[in-house]
């Protein structure tokens, strides 16, 4: 094997933050420095740091004591350097700036820790002549090619705890409580926290709902003497536009709560969990997954396996070409065993499945 001593790697965290990012930075950085003798540079605010050449050399000391800390010590942004802009002959494009900064610093690889958008950009950078390795993270758990992303189970814990708490107040007031959970495109977090929290109705973007099925179910529960109901809704479910065709500016949770109140007369309240789901310390499972993926990423770099993403497959840490990941989404499918089991427990998904 070629020597890895003196190899230079950059690390960045991009997209929405999540618990476990610091554990991953530590996993990659410490392994790279201690096991392989590499130099580690942390770029600030996602791809923006690469464009603007904002970085800091990270010592092993800098990467100590961050395993349990939420957020990211590097900062993050949703910067998309390949988004088409007006460039003329006097203005270098962002990808050109990145390449120039990468070469000036003499980097061998940039570790891009992020979600779907981050992997798409990482793939483009690789094609542009910048070596990259991807590390998947997101509370949404929707990255193609990996069974699980870190951040997901921490968010499941937070959302489930919130649903548990809402249960007790729902019972006291005999109300229907609607809880809106994050997930614009996919319903993994809503499904898992909804099942863990004993949600009576679970609505996710992948399963289009019929409002009449939801209303009949809730009225029936009420007539059966069940004093309250819990409805867990993904933020990304479709809500119809207003009568004049204008988009509705209400959140999905608020829309569903108002609809239930109007159609059934049952006393109904919405709660939008929001950014609390992305904050705070990672759960033990996410700390382990982020550390494992991080350490494996350093190994991938040592073997010069660029243009790939570290991934978890059937409980084993491995990798997958970014080409296969970029532009895809891992969605919940209605035939998922968890959905079938939930239905057998009388959970309503707002549809005939
Ligand atoms: O991190 C993913 C996610 O939490 C989505 O579920 C959500 O729609 C999105 O980020 C919102 O994040 P931001 O407001 O930071 O763009």
């Amino acid at each position: 094997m070629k020597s890895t001593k003196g190899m230079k790697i950059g690390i960045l965290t991009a997209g929405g933050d999540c618990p476990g990012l610091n554990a991953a930075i530590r996993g990659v950085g410490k392994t790279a420095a201690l096991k392989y003798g590499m130099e580690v540079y942390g770029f600030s605010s996602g791809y923006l740091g690469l464009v603007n050449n904002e970085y800091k050399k990270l010592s092993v000391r800098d990467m100590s004591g961050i395993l349990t800390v939420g957020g990211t010590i590097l900062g993050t942004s949703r910067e998309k350097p390949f988004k088409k802009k007006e460039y003329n002959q006097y203005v270098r494009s962002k990808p050109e700036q990145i390449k120039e900064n990468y070469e000036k610093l003499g980097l061998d690889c940039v570790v891009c820790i992020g979600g779907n958008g981050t992997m798409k950009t990482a793939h483009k950078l690789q094609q542009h002549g910048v070596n990259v390795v991807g590390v998947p993270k997101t509370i949404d758990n929707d990255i193609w090619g990996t069974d699980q992303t870190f951040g997901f189970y921490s968010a499941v814990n937070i959302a489930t705890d919130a649903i548990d708490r809402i249960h007790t107040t729902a019972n006291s007031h005999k109300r229907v409580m609607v809880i809106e959970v994050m997930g614009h495109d996919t319903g993994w977090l809503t499904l898992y926290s909804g099942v863990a929290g004993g949600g009576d109705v679970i609505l996710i973007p992948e399963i289009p709902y019929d409002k009449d099925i939801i209303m009949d179910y809730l009225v029936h529960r009420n007539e059966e003497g069940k004093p309250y109901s819990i409805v867990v809704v993904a933020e990304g479910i479709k809500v119809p536009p207003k009568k004049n065709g204008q988009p509705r500016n209400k959140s999905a949770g608020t829309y569903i709560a108002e609809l239930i109140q109007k159609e059934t007369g049952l006393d109904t309240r919405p709660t939008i969990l929001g950014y609390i789901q992305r904050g705070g310390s990672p759960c033990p499972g996410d700390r382990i997954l982020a550390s494992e993926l991080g350490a494996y990423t350093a190994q991938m770099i040592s073997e010069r396996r660029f243009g790939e993403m570290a991934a978890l497959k059937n409980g084993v840490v491995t990798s997958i070409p970014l080409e296969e990941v970029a532009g895809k989404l891992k969605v919940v499918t209605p035939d998922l065993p968890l959905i079938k089991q939930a239905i057998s427990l009388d959970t309503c998904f707002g549809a005939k499945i």
Side-chain angles (χ1 to χ4, degrees), residues 16-17 78 137-140 182-184 235 275 278:
D17 73 341
R78 293 201 183 269
K137 68 86 210 167
T138 166
I139 64 163
D140 296 333
M182 271 188 169
H184 256 135
E235 65 178 330
Y275 293 92
R278 292 210 317 225

Side-chain angles (χ1 to χ4, degrees), residues 333-349:
T333 52
D335 60 354
L336 198 75
L338 183 59
I339 293 195
K340 290 196 172 144
Q341 283 142 15
I343 290 171
S344 66
L345 295 169
D346 197 29
T347 305
C348 170
F349 285 89

Side-chain angles (χ1 to χ4, degrees), residues 24-326:
I25 295 167
R26 171 181 174 271
V28 181
K30 275 193 163 186
T31 312
L34 296 173
K35 184 167 178 190
Y36 298 110
M38 298 174 188
E39 285 179 27
V40 182
Y41 296 84
F43 282 85
S44 61
S45 306
Y47 289 112
L48 211 53
L50 268 186
V51 174
N52 297 334
N53 210 23
E54 282 166 11
Y55 64 86
K56 175 182 183 285
K57 189 167 180 189
L58 296 178
S59 66
V60 170
R61 188 91 188 253
D62 291 326
M63 295 178 279
S64 282
I66 60 170
L67 171 67
T68 64
V69 181
T72 161
I73 58 164
L74 298 175
T76 185
S77 72
R78 293 201 183 269
E79 168 66 28
K80 292 185 177 72
F82 285 92
K83 216 168 156 191
K84 286 268 171 295
K85 284 262 165 65
E86 286 303 311
Y87 296 111
N88 56 41
Q89 73 264 41
Y90 306 108
V91 183
R92 281 168 309 139
S93 71
K94 288 180 178 176
E96 280 165 13
Q97 277 173 254
I98 289 179
K99 191 148 185 226
E100 195 178 297
N101 294 333
Y102 172 85
E103 285 169 354
K104 211 157 56 190
L105 186 57
L107 289 175
D108 292 285
C109 175
V110 181
V111 176
C112 304
I113 309 175
N116 281 309
T118 306
M119 296 309 137
K120 212 166 157 183
T121 301
H123 176 51
K124 285 186 182 158
L125 278 178
Q126 182 69 46
Q127 291 174 315
H128 200 69
V130 173
N131 287 331
V132 297
V133 173
V135 183
K137 68 86 210 167
T138 166
I139 64 163
D140 296 333
N141 197 35
D142 59 359
I143 302 183
W144 180 267
T146 186
D147 292 345
Q148 201 185 307
T149 55
F150 66 80
F152 175 61
Y153 273 107
S154 303
V156 170
N157 286 351
I158 297 164
T160 304
D161 179 60
I163 296 169
D164 290 348
R165 287 170 190 278
I166 287 171
H167 247 109
T168 63
T169 169
N171 194 6
S172 308
H173 289 267
K174 317 288 178 238
R175 281 174 174 156
V176 177
M177 299 298 263
V178 177
I179 300 121
E180 184 188 293
V181 174
M182 271 188 169
H184 256 135
D185 303 312
T186 61
W188 294 103
L189 183 54
T190 305
L191 175 65
Y192 274 61
S193 58
V195 170
D200 303 300
V201 179
I202 298 176
L203 304 180
I204 61 174
E206 293 93 331
I207 303 178
Y209 61 89
D210 174 341
K211 77 173 172 60
D212 293 335
I213 293 180
I214 304 170
M215 303 311 152
D216 288 350
Y217 177 89
L218 291 172
V219 169
H220 182 67
R221 262 181 71 83
N222 186 260
E223 284 168 357
E224 268 190 326
K226 307 252 173 71
Y228 67 91
S229 293
I230 300 290
V231 180
V232 189
V233 175
E235 65 178 330
I237 61 159
K238 283 231 158 28
V239 296
K242 289 195 212 150
K243 282 212 177 79
N244 58 11
Q246 291 292 318
R248 230 171 261 277
N249 51 11
K250 273 181 194 137
S251 75
T254 309
Y255 169 76
I256 292 289
E258 288 179 2
L259 193 65
I260 294 170
Q261 174 86 47
K262 188 169 120 229
E263 301 249 333
T264 66
L266 296 168
D267 194 17
T268 308
R269 296 285 191 279
T271 301
I272 296 152
L273 297 186
Y275 293 92
I276 194 170
Q277 295 162 99
R278 292 210 317 225
S281 185
C283 67
D286 281 340
R287 294 178 198 183
I288 292 166
L289 179 59
S291 303
E292 273 192 298
L293 289 174
Y296 188 77
T297 298
Q299 184 191 325
M300 288 165 70
I301 298 168
S302 78
E303 293 164 1
R304 276 118 179 129
R305 280 159 50 202
F306 305 127
E308 297 188 6
M309 180 186 85
L312 188 72
K313 273 276 158 202
N314 304 320
V316 179
V317 173
T318 177
S319 68
I320 174 169
L322 276 167
E323 194 180 357
E324 285 180 35
V325 175

